[in-house]
Amino acid sequence: GCRVPAYLRFRPSMPMEEKKASPHRRIKATVQYDGTDFLGFQRQPRGRTVQGVLEEALGKLLGHPLTVKGAGRTDTGVHARGQVISLVTESSIPAQNIPVAARSLLPPDVIISSAEDVDEAFDPQKDAVSKTYCYRIWRGDVPDILTARYTYWWPGKLDFELMEQETAHLVGRHDFASLRATGSSAKTTV
């Protein structure tokens, strides 16, 4: 199937503190990507990752090596429409100019939708309060070539009543420890 972390919600931003003597500033950006040709979000020793592509392009744009931190990690082949990242830079390029300026440095399967300066305490993982995943099923006798990357083709009949009954079990608080990635830094699995 196709998993699309379409939206992430965050706590309201804290007012930015007055500029300190440090030349460093934290930037929050929203990115979207087609995960088909990626080994997931998180940088890995071998293989193409979203984090690696972003760090390379933004490092060139901002003029120094940097680390991108994402609100979450997507797996191989997973797409995102609203992944939030943060980075620290010394560059004076206005944050709101970064999406357009980075466009020529990024491959066609990654886009920075927006960017803004935020308080240095902002953390895209800790400050996220919800994530939305979207799974799409294409019903029909044949798959649709234009949506095949983003849908799961099911040529048979779907039992909507049974689907509603089964998905009702997902509502509420649950412990997802069995789905936790090895080495995960998550504080809780609930």
Side-chain angles (χ1 to χ4, degrees), residues 24-60:
H24 297 99
R25 56 194 252 256
R26 183 170 303 277
I27 293 177
K28 169 186 165 188
T30 301
V31 299
Q32 48 185 307
Y33 49 88
D34 179 323
T36 303
D37 297 326
F38 288 103
L39 294 178
F41 180 84
Q42 187 172 352
R43 185 183 338 99
Q44 297 181 29
R46 290 186 205 121
R48 185 171 183 252
T49 65
V50 177
Q51 183 181 21
V53 164
L54 286 167
E55 288 175 350
E56 182 180 340
L58 291 169
K60 285 179 187 176

PDB file of all heavy atoms in Angstrom, residues 24-60:
ATOM      1  N   HIS A  24      24.199  31.507  15.086  1.00  0.00           N
ATOM      2  CA  HIS A  24      23.377  30.379  14.698  1.00  0.00           C
ATOM      3  C   HIS A  24      21.894  30.711  14.796  1.00  0.00           C
ATOM      4  O   HIS A  24      21.470  31.407  15.716  1.00  0.00           O
ATOM      5  CB  HIS A  24      23.672  29.156  15.585  1.00  0.00           C
ATOM      6  CG  HIS A  24      25.071  28.664  15.447  1.00  0.00           C
ATOM      7  ND1 HIS A  24      26.055  28.974  16.347  1.00  0.00           N
ATOM      8  CD2 HIS A  24      25.648  27.901  14.495  1.00  0.00           C
ATOM      9  CE1 HIS A  24      27.184  28.413  15.961  1.00  0.00           C
ATOM     10  NE2 HIS A  24      26.959  27.763  14.839  1.00  0.00           N
ATOM     11  N   ARG A  25      21.126  30.180  13.879  1.00  0.00           N
ATOM     12  CA  ARG A  25      19.670  30.313  13.929  1.00  0.00           C
ATOM     13  C   ARG A  25      19.051  29.000  13.503  1.00  0.00           C
ATOM     14  O   ARG A  25      19.616  28.243  12.728  1.00  0.00           O
ATOM     15  CB  ARG A  25      19.192  31.465  13.061  1.00  0.00           C
ATOM     16  CG  ARG A  25      19.621  31.393  11.631  1.00  0.00           C
ATOM     17  CD  ARG A  25      19.398  32.739  10.936  1.00  0.00           C
ATOM     18  NE  ARG A  25      18.309  32.703  10.026  1.00  0.00           N
ATOM     19  CZ  ARG A  25      18.435  32.646   8.705  1.00  0.00           C
ATOM     20  NH1 ARG A  25      19.620  32.651   8.142  1.00  0.00           N
ATOM     21  NH2 ARG A  25      17.382  32.584   7.944  1.00  0.00           N
ATOM     22  N   ARG A  26      17.879  28.705  14.064  1.00  0.00           N
ATOM     23  CA  ARG A  26      17.181  27.454  13.749  1.00  0.00           C
ATOM     24  C   ARG A  26      16.094  27.773  12.735  1.00  0.00           C
ATOM     25  O   ARG A  26      15.351  28.739  12.868  1.00  0.00           O
ATOM     26  CB  ARG A  26      16.579  26.826  15.000  1.00  0.00           C
ATOM     27  CG  ARG A  26      15.910  25.485  14.727  1.00  0.00           C
ATOM     28  CD  ARG A  26      15.540  24.754  15.998  1.00  0.00           C
ATOM     29  NE  ARG A  26      16.676  24.523  16.858  1.00  0.00           N
ATOM     30  CZ  ARG A  26      17.545  23.507  16.734  1.00  0.00           C
ATOM     31  NH1 ARG A  26      17.417  22.651  15.747  1.00  0.00           N
ATOM     32  NH2 ARG A  26      18.525  23.361  17.589  1.00  0.00           N
ATOM     33  N   ILE A  27      16.008  26.904  11.738  1.00  0.00           N
ATOM     34  CA  ILE A  27      14.992  27.053  10.699  1.00  0.00           C
ATOM     35  C   ILE A  27      14.111  25.810  10.699  1.00  0.00           C
ATOM     36  O   ILE A  27      14.596  24.681  10.793  1.00  0.00           O
ATOM     37  CB  ILE A  27      15.652  27.258   9.320  1.00  0.00           C
ATOM     38  CG1 ILE A  27      16.370  28.600   9.316  1.00  0.00           C
ATOM     39  CG2 ILE A  27      14.617  27.190   8.200  1.00  0.00           C
ATOM     40  CD1 ILE A  27      17.132  28.906   8.055  1.00  0.00           C
ATOM     41  N   LYS A  28      12.811  26.042  10.621  1.00  0.00           N
ATOM     42  CA  LYS A  28      11.820  24.979  10.484  1.00  0.00           C
ATOM     43  C   LYS A  28      11.355  25.006   9.029  1.00  0.00           C
ATOM     44  O   LYS A  28      11.052  26.077   8.500  1.00  0.00           O
ATOM     45  CB  LYS A  28      10.646  25.258  11.417  1.00  0.00           C
ATOM     46  CG  LYS A  28       9.424  24.380  11.197  1.00  0.00           C
ATOM     47  CD  LYS A  28       8.295  24.870  12.099  1.00  0.00           C
ATOM     48  CE  LYS A  28       6.970  24.305  11.695  1.00  0.00           C
ATOM     49  NZ  LYS A  28       5.862  24.910  12.446  1.00  0.00           N
ATOM     50  N   ALA A  29      11.339  23.863   8.383  1.00  0.00           N
ATOM     51  CA  ALA A  29      10.883  23.797   6.993  1.00  0.00           C
ATOM     52  C   ALA A  29       9.927  22.625   6.833  1.00  0.00           C
ATOM     53  O   ALA A  29      10.007  21.631   7.561  1.00  0.00           O
ATOM     54  CB  ALA A  29      12.067  23.651   6.045  1.00  0.00           C
ATOM     55  N   THR A  30       9.037  22.754   5.884  1.00  0.00           N
ATOM     56  CA  THR A  30       8.122  21.678   5.535  1.00  0.00           C
ATOM     57  C   THR A  30       8.541  21.155   4.169  1.00  0.00           C
ATOM     58  O   THR A  30       8.753  21.935   3.246  1.00  0.00           O
ATOM     59  CB  THR A  30       6.665  22.176   5.499  1.00  0.00           C
ATOM     60  OG1 THR A  30       6.339  22.704   6.779  1.00  0.00           O
ATOM     61  CG2 THR A  30       5.698  21.048   5.166  1.00  0.00           C
ATOM     62  N   VAL A  31       8.690  19.840   4.080  1.00  0.00           N
ATOM     63  CA  VAL A  31       9.121  19.234   2.822  1.00  0.00           C
ATOM     64  C   VAL A  31       8.110  18.186   2.376  1.00  0.00           C
ATOM     65  O   VAL A  31       7.338  17.658   3.181  1.00  0.00           O
ATOM     66  CB  VAL A  31      10.527  18.586   2.933  1.00  0.00           C
ATOM     67  CG1 VAL A  31      11.565  19.627   3.290  1.00  0.00           C
ATOM     68  CG2 VAL A  31      10.547  17.461   3.941  1.00  0.00           C
ATOM     69  N   GLN A  32       8.132  17.924   1.089  1.00  0.00           N
ATOM     70  CA  GLN A  32       7.339  16.837   0.540  1.00  0.00           C
ATOM     71  C   GLN A  32       8.233  16.036  -0.391  1.00  0.00           C
ATOM     72  O   GLN A  32       9.154  16.586  -0.986  1.00  0.00           O
ATOM     73  CB  GLN A  32       6.085  17.339  -0.160  1.00  0.00           C
ATOM     74  CG  GLN A  32       6.283  18.478  -1.126  1.00  0.00           C
ATOM     75  CD  GLN A  32       4.957  18.981  -1.672  1.00  0.00           C
ATOM     76  OE1 GLN A  32       4.148  18.199  -2.185  1.00  0.00           O
ATOM     77  NE2 GLN A  32       4.725  20.268  -1.567  1.00  0.00           N
ATOM     78  N   TYR A  33       7.974  14.739  -0.457  1.00  0.00           N
ATOM     79  CA  TYR A  33       8.803  13.908  -1.314  1.00  0.00           C
ATOM     80  C   TYR A  33       8.062  12.668  -1.778  1.00  0.00           C
ATOM     81  O   TYR A  33       7.158  12.178  -1.123  1.00  0.00           O
ATOM     82  CB  TYR A  33      10.114  13.505  -0.631  1.00  0.00           C
ATOM     83  CG  TYR A  33       9.991  12.953   0.762  1.00  0.00           C
ATOM     84  CD1 TYR A  33       9.792  11.597   0.987  1.00  0.00           C
ATOM     85  CD2 TYR A  33      10.088  13.793   1.870  1.00  0.00           C
ATOM     86  CE1 TYR A  33       9.697  11.085   2.273  1.00  0.00           C
ATOM     87  CE2 TYR A  33       9.996  13.291   3.157  1.00  0.00           C
ATOM     88  CZ  TYR A  33       9.791  11.938   3.349  1.00  0.00           C
ATOM     89  OH  TYR A  33       9.687  11.435   4.621  1.00  0.00           O
ATOM     90  N   ASP A  34       8.473  12.194  -2.954  1.00  0.00           N
ATOM     91  CA  ASP A  34       8.021  10.932  -3.491  1.00  0.00           C
ATOM     92  C   ASP A  34       9.061   9.917  -3.043  1.00  0.00           C
ATOM     93  O   ASP A  34      10.206   9.943  -3.498  1.00  0.00           O
ATOM     94  CB  ASP A  34       7.949  11.020  -5.014  1.00  0.00           C
ATOM     95  CG  ASP A  34       7.515   9.717  -5.661  1.00  0.00           C
ATOM     96  OD1 ASP A  34       7.912   8.634  -5.182  1.00  0.00           O
ATOM     97  OD2 ASP A  34       6.799   9.776  -6.673  1.00  0.00           O
ATOM     98  N   GLY A  35       8.698   9.031  -2.159  1.00  0.00           N
ATOM     99  CA  GLY A  35       9.653   8.104  -1.559  1.00  0.00           C
ATOM    100  C   GLY A  35      10.012   6.892  -2.388  1.00  0.00           C
ATOM    101  O   GLY A  35      10.792   6.049  -1.943  1.00  0.00           O
ATOM    102  N   THR A  36       9.488   6.789  -3.596  1.00  0.00           N
ATOM    103  CA  THR A  36       9.702   5.606  -4.426  1.00  0.00           C
ATOM    104  C   THR A  36      11.166   5.216  -4.545  1.00  0.00           C
ATOM    105  O   THR A  36      11.520   4.049  -4.407  1.00  0.00           O
ATOM    106  CB  THR A  36       9.109   5.823  -5.835  1.00  0.00           C
ATOM    107  OG1 THR A  36       7.726   6.135  -5.712  1.00  0.00           O
ATOM    108  CG2 THR A  36       9.274   4.586  -6.703  1.00  0.00           C
ATOM    109  N   ASP A  37      12.035   6.166  -4.798  1.00  0.00           N
ATOM    110  CA  ASP A  37      13.454   5.877  -5.035  1.00  0.00           C
ATOM    111  C   ASP A  37      14.345   6.164  -3.827  1.00  0.00           C
ATOM    112  O   ASP A  37      15.555   6.330  -3.981  1.00  0.00           O
ATOM    113  CB  ASP A  37      13.940   6.671  -6.252  1.00  0.00           C
ATOM    114  CG  ASP A  37      13.216   6.268  -7.524  1.00  0.00           C
ATOM    115  OD1 ASP A  37      12.868   5.077  -7.659  1.00  0.00           O
ATOM    116  OD2 ASP A  37      12.961   7.132  -8.388  1.00  0.00           O
ATOM    117  N   PHE A  38      13.752   6.239  -2.635  1.00  0.00           N
ATOM    118  CA  PHE A  38      14.519   6.486  -1.415  1.00  0.00           C
ATOM    119  C   PHE A  38      14.498   5.255  -0.512  1.00  0.00           C
ATOM    120  O   PHE A  38      13.523   4.515  -0.486  1.00  0.00           O
ATOM    121  CB  PHE A  38      13.940   7.667  -0.636  1.00  0.00           C
ATOM    122  CG  PHE A  38      14.200   8.997  -1.272  1.00  0.00           C
ATOM    123  CD1 PHE A  38      13.207   9.656  -1.975  1.00  0.00           C
ATOM    124  CD2 PHE A  38      15.441   9.611  -1.162  1.00  0.00           C
ATOM    125  CE1 PHE A  38      13.440  10.882  -2.554  1.00  0.00           C
ATOM    126  CE2 PHE A  38      15.688  10.841  -1.747  1.00  0.00           C
ATOM    127  CZ  PHE A  38      14.686  11.484  -2.448  1.00  0.00           C
ATOM    128  N   LEU A  39      15.553   5.101   0.278  1.00  0.00           N
ATOM    129  CA  LEU A  39      15.599   4.041   1.286  1.00  0.00           C
ATOM    130  C   LEU A  39      15.015   4.540   2.606  1.00  0.00           C
ATOM    131  O   LEU A  39      15.402   4.082   3.670  1.00  0.00           O
ATOM    132  CB  LEU A  39      17.048   3.581   1.511  1.00  0.00           C
ATOM    133  CG  LEU A  39      17.702   2.891   0.326  1.00  0.00           C
ATOM    134  CD1 LEU A  39      19.136   2.526   0.649  1.00  0.00           C
ATOM    135  CD2 LEU A  39      16.909   1.652  -0.072  1.00  0.00           C
ATOM    136  N   GLY A  40      14.116   5.494   2.532  1.00  0.00           N
ATOM    137  CA  GLY A  40      13.500   6.076   3.707  1.00  0.00           C
ATOM    138  C   GLY A  40      14.013   7.478   3.955  1.00  0.00           C
ATOM    139  O   GLY A  40      14.772   8.034   3.169  1.00  0.00           O
ATOM    140  N   PHE A  41      13.583   8.062   5.079  1.00  0.00           N
ATOM    141  CA  PHE A  41      13.989   9.431   5.399  1.00  0.00           C
ATOM    142  C   PHE A  41      15.395   9.481   5.972  1.00  0.00           C
ATOM    143  O   PHE A  41      16.225  10.280   5.560  1.00  0.00           O
ATOM    144  CB  PHE A  41      13.014  10.075   6.395  1.00  0.00           C
ATOM    145  CG  PHE A  41      13.420  11.487   6.747  1.00  0.00           C
ATOM    146  CD1 PHE A  41      13.063  12.544   5.944  1.00  0.00           C
ATOM    147  CD2 PHE A  41      14.198  11.745   7.877  1.00  0.00           C
ATOM    148  CE1 PHE A  41      13.472  13.841   6.238  1.00  0.00           C
ATOM    149  CE2 PHE A  41      14.612  13.028   8.190  1.00  0.00           C
ATOM    150  CZ  PHE A  41      14.239  14.083   7.363  1.00  0.00           C
ATOM    151  N   GLN A  42      15.665   8.661   6.971  1.00  0.00           N
ATOM    152  CA  GLN A  42      16.896   8.775   7.763  1.00  0.00           C
ATOM    153  C   GLN A  42      18.150   8.390   6.976  1.00  0.00           C
ATOM    154  O   GLN A  42      18.175   7.388   6.273  1.00  0.00           O
ATOM    155  CB  GLN A  42      16.793   7.899   9.004  1.00  0.00           C
ATOM    156  CG  GLN A  42      17.937   8.091   9.959  1.00  0.00           C
ATOM    157  CD  GLN A  42      17.705   7.350  11.257  1.00  0.00           C
ATOM    158  OE1 GLN A  42      16.638   6.821  11.506  1.00  0.00           O
ATOM    159  NE2 GLN A  42      18.708   7.328  12.095  1.00  0.00           N
ATOM    160  N   ARG A  43      19.195   9.218   7.147  1.00  0.00           N
ATOM    161  CA  ARG A  43      20.496   8.981   6.505  1.00  0.00           C
ATOM    162  C   ARG A  43      20.994   7.584   6.846  1.00  0.00           C
ATOM    163  O   ARG A  43      20.847   7.120   7.969  1.00  0.00           O
ATOM    164  CB  ARG A  43      21.499  10.039   6.984  1.00  0.00           C
ATOM    165  CG  ARG A  43      22.852   9.989   6.324  1.00  0.00           C
ATOM    166  CD  ARG A  43      23.840  11.005   6.882  1.00  0.00           C
ATOM    167  NE  ARG A  43      23.319  12.179   7.561  1.00  0.00           N
ATOM    168  CZ  ARG A  43      23.223  12.303   8.877  1.00  0.00           C
ATOM    169  NH1 ARG A  43      23.623  11.330   9.673  1.00  0.00           N
ATOM    170  NH2 ARG A  43      22.755  13.412   9.416  1.00  0.00           N
ATOM    171  N   GLN A  44      21.565   6.912   5.858  1.00  0.00           N
ATOM    172  CA  GLN A  44      22.118   5.576   6.034  1.00  0.00           C
ATOM    173  C   GLN A  44      23.496   5.524   5.388  1.00  0.00           C
ATOM    174  O   GLN A  44      23.796   6.334   4.510  1.00  0.00           O
ATOM    175  CB  GLN A  44      21.192   4.537   5.391  1.00  0.00           C
ATOM    176  CG  GLN A  44      19.829   4.476   6.043  1.00  0.00           C
ATOM    177  CD  GLN A  44      18.952   3.426   5.392  1.00  0.00           C
ATOM    178  OE1 GLN A  44      19.422   2.430   4.873  1.00  0.00           O
ATOM    179  NE2 GLN A  44      17.642   3.662   5.432  1.00  0.00           N
ATOM    180  N   PRO A  45      24.334   4.572   5.816  1.00  0.00           N
ATOM    181  CA  PRO A  45      25.688   4.506   5.261  1.00  0.00           C
ATOM    182  C   PRO A  45      25.705   4.315   3.748  1.00  0.00           C
ATOM    183  O   PRO A  45      26.543   4.859   3.060  1.00  0.00           O
ATOM    184  CB  PRO A  45      26.328   3.305   5.952  1.00  0.00           C
ATOM    185  CG  PRO A  45      25.414   2.903   7.037  1.00  0.00           C
ATOM    186  CD  PRO A  45      24.085   3.552   6.816  1.00  0.00           C
ATOM    187  N   ARG A  46      24.777   3.534   3.245  1.00  0.00           N
ATOM    188  CA  ARG A  46      24.707   3.285   1.806  1.00  0.00           C
ATOM    189  C   ARG A  46      23.286   3.493   1.334  1.00  0.00           C
ATOM    190  O   ARG A  46      22.351   3.034   1.961  1.00  0.00           O
ATOM    191  CB  ARG A  46      25.132   1.856   1.487  1.00  0.00           C
ATOM    192  CG  ARG A  46      26.587   1.631   1.706  1.00  0.00           C
ATOM    193  CD  ARG A  46      26.998   0.250   1.233  1.00  0.00           C
ATOM    194  NE  ARG A  46      28.187  -0.101   2.000  1.00  0.00           N
ATOM    195  CZ  ARG A  46      28.302  -1.137   2.783  1.00  0.00           C
ATOM    196  NH1 ARG A  46      27.302  -1.967   2.900  1.00  0.00           N
ATOM    197  NH2 ARG A  46      29.403  -1.360   3.453  1.00  0.00           N
ATOM    198  N   GLY A  47      23.155   4.137   0.217  1.00  0.00           N
ATOM    199  CA  GLY A  47      21.836   4.314  -0.377  1.00  0.00           C
ATOM    200  C   GLY A  47      21.316   5.723  -0.247  1.00  0.00           C
ATOM    201  O   GLY A  47      21.737   6.496   0.602  1.00  0.00           O
ATOM    202  N   ARG A  48      20.400   6.042  -1.110  1.00  0.00           N
ATOM    203  CA  ARG A  48      19.814   7.380  -1.204  1.00  0.00           C
ATOM    204  C   ARG A  48      18.707   7.542  -0.171  1.00  0.00           C
ATOM    205  O   ARG A  48      17.764   6.734  -0.125  1.00  0.00           O
ATOM    206  CB  ARG A  48      19.262   7.550  -2.612  1.00  0.00           C
ATOM    207  CG  ARG A  48      18.721   8.904  -2.931  1.00  0.00           C
ATOM    208  CD  ARG A  48      18.415   8.967  -4.434  1.00  0.00           C
ATOM    209  NE  ARG A  48      17.968  10.274  -4.810  1.00  0.00           N
ATOM    210  CZ  ARG A  48      16.703  10.560  -5.147  1.00  0.00           C
ATOM    211  NH1 ARG A  48      15.781   9.617  -5.144  1.00  0.00           N
ATOM    212  NH2 ARG A  48      16.381  11.784  -5.477  1.00  0.00           N
ATOM    213  N   THR A  49      18.810   8.603   0.647  1.00  0.00           N
ATOM    214  CA  THR A  49      17.791   8.898   1.655  1.00  0.00           C
ATOM    215  C   THR A  49      17.371  10.360   1.521  1.00  0.00           C
ATOM    216  O   THR A  49      18.107  11.193   1.001  1.00  0.00           O
ATOM    217  CB  THR A  49      18.297   8.668   3.087  1.00  0.00           C
ATOM    218  OG1 THR A  49      19.338   9.604   3.370  1.00  0.00           O
ATOM    219  CG2 THR A  49      18.789   7.238   3.278  1.00  0.00           C
ATOM    220  N   VAL A  50      16.180  10.666   2.010  1.00  0.00           N
ATOM    221  CA  VAL A  50      15.670  12.037   1.958  1.00  0.00           C
ATOM    222  C   VAL A  50      16.559  12.951   2.791  1.00  0.00           C
ATOM    223  O   VAL A  50      16.941  14.039   2.344  1.00  0.00           O
ATOM    224  CB  VAL A  50      14.202  12.098   2.443  1.00  0.00           C
ATOM    225  CG1 VAL A  50      13.697  13.537   2.445  1.00  0.00           C
ATOM    226  CG2 VAL A  50      13.309  11.208   1.584  1.00  0.00           C
ATOM    227  N   GLN A  51      16.920  12.528   3.991  1.00  0.00           N
ATOM    228  CA  GLN A  51      17.777  13.337   4.855  1.00  0.00           C
ATOM    229  C   GLN A  51      19.105  13.637   4.156  1.00  0.00           C
ATOM    230  O   GLN A  51      19.578  14.776   4.171  1.00  0.00           O
ATOM    231  CB  GLN A  51      18.026  12.627   6.184  1.00  0.00           C
ATOM    232  CG  GLN A  51      18.858  13.443   7.149  1.00  0.00           C
ATOM    233  CD  GLN A  51      19.109  12.704   8.470  1.00  0.00           C
ATOM    234  OE1 GLN A  51      19.017  11.478   8.547  1.00  0.00           O
ATOM    235  NE2 GLN A  51      19.416  13.460   9.498  1.00  0.00           N
ATOM    236  N   GLY A  52      19.698  12.637   3.527  1.00  0.00           N
ATOM    237  CA  GLY A  52      20.966  12.830   2.829  1.00  0.00           C
ATOM    238  C   GLY A  52      20.859  13.831   1.693  1.00  0.00           C
ATOM    239  O   GLY A  52      21.713  14.709   1.534  1.00  0.00           O
ATOM    240  N   VAL A  53      19.801  13.732   0.905  1.00  0.00           N
ATOM    241  CA  VAL A  53      19.586  14.651  -0.215  1.00  0.00           C
ATOM    242  C   VAL A  53      19.379  16.077   0.301  1.00  0.00           C
ATOM    243  O   VAL A  53      19.950  17.030  -0.229  1.00  0.00           O
ATOM    244  CB  VAL A  53      18.371  14.180  -1.066  1.00  0.00           C
ATOM    245  CG1 VAL A  53      17.864  15.267  -1.983  1.00  0.00           C
ATOM    246  CG2 VAL A  53      18.740  12.933  -1.856  1.00  0.00           C
ATOM    247  N   LEU A  54      18.580  16.226   1.363  1.00  0.00           N
ATOM    248  CA  LEU A  54      18.336  17.551   1.932  1.00  0.00           C
ATOM    249  C   LEU A  54      19.616  18.157   2.507  1.00  0.00           C
ATOM    250  O   LEU A  54      19.904  19.342   2.291  1.00  0.00           O
ATOM    251  CB  LEU A  54      17.262  17.481   3.023  1.00  0.00           C
ATOM    252  CG  LEU A  54      15.822  17.303   2.533  1.00  0.00           C
ATOM    253  CD1 LEU A  54      14.917  16.921   3.693  1.00  0.00           C
ATOM    254  CD2 LEU A  54      15.322  18.553   1.833  1.00  0.00           C
ATOM    255  N   GLU A  55      20.386  17.363   3.240  1.00  0.00           N
ATOM    256  CA  GLU A  55      21.616  17.887   3.845  1.00  0.00           C
ATOM    257  C   GLU A  55      22.615  18.315   2.780  1.00  0.00           C
ATOM    258  O   GLU A  55      23.272  19.356   2.921  1.00  0.00           O
ATOM    259  CB  GLU A  55      22.223  16.837   4.782  1.00  0.00           C
ATOM    260  CG  GLU A  55      21.411  16.675   6.046  1.00  0.00           C
ATOM    261  CD  GLU A  55      21.884  15.564   6.963  1.00  0.00           C
ATOM    262  OE1 GLU A  55      22.752  14.761   6.561  1.00  0.00           O
ATOM    263  OE2 GLU A  55      21.375  15.496   8.101  1.00  0.00           O
ATOM    264  N   GLU A  56      22.717  17.553   1.714  1.00  0.00           N
ATOM    265  CA  GLU A  56      23.645  17.919   0.643  1.00  0.00           C
ATOM    266  C   GLU A  56      23.216  19.224  -0.043  1.00  0.00           C
ATOM    267  O   GLU A  56      24.012  20.144  -0.209  1.00  0.00           O
ATOM    268  CB  GLU A  56      23.733  16.795  -0.387  1.00  0.00           C
ATOM    269  CG  GLU A  56      24.713  17.092  -1.505  1.00  0.00           C
ATOM    270  CD  GLU A  56      24.806  15.961  -2.525  1.00  0.00           C
ATOM    271  OE1 GLU A  56      24.423  14.823  -2.216  1.00  0.00           O
ATOM    272  OE2 GLU A  56      25.274  16.253  -3.640  1.00  0.00           O
ATOM    273  N   ALA A  57      21.949  19.320  -0.423  1.00  0.00           N
ATOM    274  CA  ALA A  57      21.457  20.507  -1.125  1.00  0.00           C
ATOM    275  C   ALA A  57      21.473  21.748  -0.229  1.00  0.00           C
ATOM    276  O   ALA A  57      21.938  22.813  -0.644  1.00  0.00           O
ATOM    277  CB  ALA A  57      20.036  20.253  -1.645  1.00  0.00           C
ATOM    278  N   LEU A  58      20.991  21.617   1.004  1.00  0.00           N
ATOM    279  CA  LEU A  58      20.941  22.770   1.902  1.00  0.00           C
ATOM    280  C   LEU A  58      22.346  23.180   2.348  1.00  0.00           C
ATOM    281  O   LEU A  58      22.607  24.362   2.559  1.00  0.00           O
ATOM    282  CB  LEU A  58      20.040  22.478   3.096  1.00  0.00           C
ATOM    283  CG  LEU A  58      18.549  22.379   2.746  1.00  0.00           C
ATOM    284  CD1 LEU A  58      17.745  21.815   3.908  1.00  0.00           C
ATOM    285  CD2 LEU A  58      18.005  23.729   2.302  1.00  0.00           C
ATOM    286  N   GLY A  59      23.250  22.211   2.477  1.00  0.00           N
ATOM    287  CA  GLY A  59      24.641  22.533   2.800  1.00  0.00           C
ATOM    288  C   GLY A  59      25.270  23.394   1.714  1.00  0.00           C
ATOM    289  O   GLY A  59      25.982  24.365   1.995  1.00  0.00           O
ATOM    290  N   LYS A  60      25.011  23.046   0.446  1.00  0.00           N
ATOM    291  CA  LYS A  60      25.517  23.851  -0.679  1.00  0.00           C
ATOM    292  C   LYS A  60      24.894  25.249  -0.660  1.00  0.00           C
ATOM    293  O   LYS A  60      25.589  26.249  -0.813  1.00  0.00           O
ATOM    294  CB  LYS A  60      25.198  23.178  -2.012  1.00  0.00           C
ATOM    295  CG  LYS A  60      26.055  21.985  -2.329  1.00  0.00           C
ATOM    296  CD  LYS A  60      25.651  21.377  -3.660  1.00  0.00           C
ATOM    297  CE  LYS A  60      26.398  20.077  -3.916  1.00  0.00           C
ATOM    298  NZ  LYS A  60      25.940  19.425  -5.151  1.00  0.00           N
TER     299      LYS A  60
END
